[in-house]
């Protein structure tokens, strides 16, 4: 019965499916690789190592599907590398890709213009960066962002010194 495509599909997309079920179904019915609902279910519930292997071989359309990639990257920021070039420049995707360990690496790929246009990217980086990496964020942040109240407050809350930026804000 596991080889019946309809049963395998139902097993994978079920809300309580497990990574073991996903792997078994994908091995038994390889045609499931091309079903968007299956890929979305995998992105939401499969383990990271399986997803890494899956996205290495996945169809380009899935790597350019914002919902699928945001779901996958939200579970494991390392999967951001598998997103299409278009999605790697999407502000929402960048925010999802930022976690404690990836904050510096993601922020340094974002242009100053994009940071100014979408300050939520830098704000998320400040809010979640590992404490030891906070000092590494500063050189990659657009200078104009130090005039953004939310970013300055987040920076202070993280225990960082803002005196030079604060003085510039007050003088302006």
């Amino acid at each position: 019965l596991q080889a019946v495509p309809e049963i395998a599909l139902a097993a994978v997309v079920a809300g309580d499916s497990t990574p073991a079920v996903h792997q078994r179904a994908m091995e038994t019915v390889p045609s499931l690789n091309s079903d968007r609902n299956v890929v979305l279910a995998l992105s939401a519930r499969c383990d990271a190592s399986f997803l890494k292997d899956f996205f290495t071989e996945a169809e380009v359309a899935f790597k350019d599907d914002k919902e699928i990639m945001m779901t996958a990257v939200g579970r494991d920021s390392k999967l951001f590398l598998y997103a299409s070039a278009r999605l790697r420049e999407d502000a929402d995707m960048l925010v999802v890709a930022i976690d404690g360990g990836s904050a510096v690496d993601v922020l340094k790929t974002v242009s100053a213009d994009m940071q100014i246009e979408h300050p939520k990217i830098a704000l998320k980086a400040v809010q979640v960066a590992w404490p030891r990496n906070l000092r590494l964020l500063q050189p990659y942040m657009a200078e104009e962002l130090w005039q953004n109240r939310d970013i300055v407050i987040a920076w202070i809350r993280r225990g960082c010194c803002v005196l030079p930026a604060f003085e510039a804000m007050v003088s302006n």
Side-chain angles (χ1 to χ4, degrees):
L1 290 175
Q2 292 177 6
V4 175
E6 293 80 17
I7 293 175
L9 174 65
V12 171
V13 299
D16 60 350
S17 63
T18 64
V21 169
H22 297 151
Q23 190 162 358
R24 179 73 177 171
M26 300 304 283
E27 289 170 356
T28 308
V29 185
S31 64
L32 293 177
N33 287 345
S34 60
D35 186 298
R36 184 182 184 280
N37 291 328
V38 168
V39 177
L40 189 56
L42 293 174
S43 297
R45 293 184 298 280
C46 206
D47 56 32
S49 62
F50 182 85
L51 283 175
K52 181 181 174 190
D53 292 340
F54 178 81
F55 281 117
T56 299
E57 305 291 326
E59 296 176 22
V60 174
F62 294 135
K63 295 177 184 182
D64 195 48
D65 185 309
K66 188 172 179 177
E67 183 181 13
I68 287 173
M69 291 311 299
M70 284 187 67
T71 302
V73 171
R75 294 201 51 242
D76 185 351
S77 65
K78 293 178 185 121
L79 296 171
F80 178 71
L81 299 172
Y82 296 95
S84 69
R86 178 185 72 84
L87 289 179
R88 287 194 306 268
E89 294 177 5
D90 180 89
D92 296 329
M93 179 63 77
L94 288 164
V95 169
V96 169
I98 295 172
D99 65 13
S102 70
V104 175
D105 291 332
V106 171
L107 194 61
K108 69 182 174 185
T109 68
V110 180
S111 70
D113 289 339
M114 186 163 191
Q115 288 181 37
I116 293 165
E117 186 178 343
H118 303 282
K120 63 185 178 181
I121 297 168
L123 178 61
K124 172 100 182 263
V126 169
Q127 290 173 332
V128 302
W130 290 339
R132 69 176 184 257
N133 289 346
L134 278 169
R135 64 180 174 75
L136 302 174
L137 278 180
Q138 206 165 8
Y140 300 111
M141 291 178 65
E143 192 64 35
E144 292 84 353
L145 291 177
W146 294 110
Q147 305 302 312
N148 181 302
R149 184 177 191 278
D150 293 333
I151 291 174
V152 172
I153 289 172
W155 192 256
I156 292 168
R157 284 186 174 147
R158 295 300 309 270
C160 299
C161 175
V162 294
L163 192 54
F166 179 73
E167 287 175 353
M169 186 170 35
V170 170
S171 68
N172 291 335

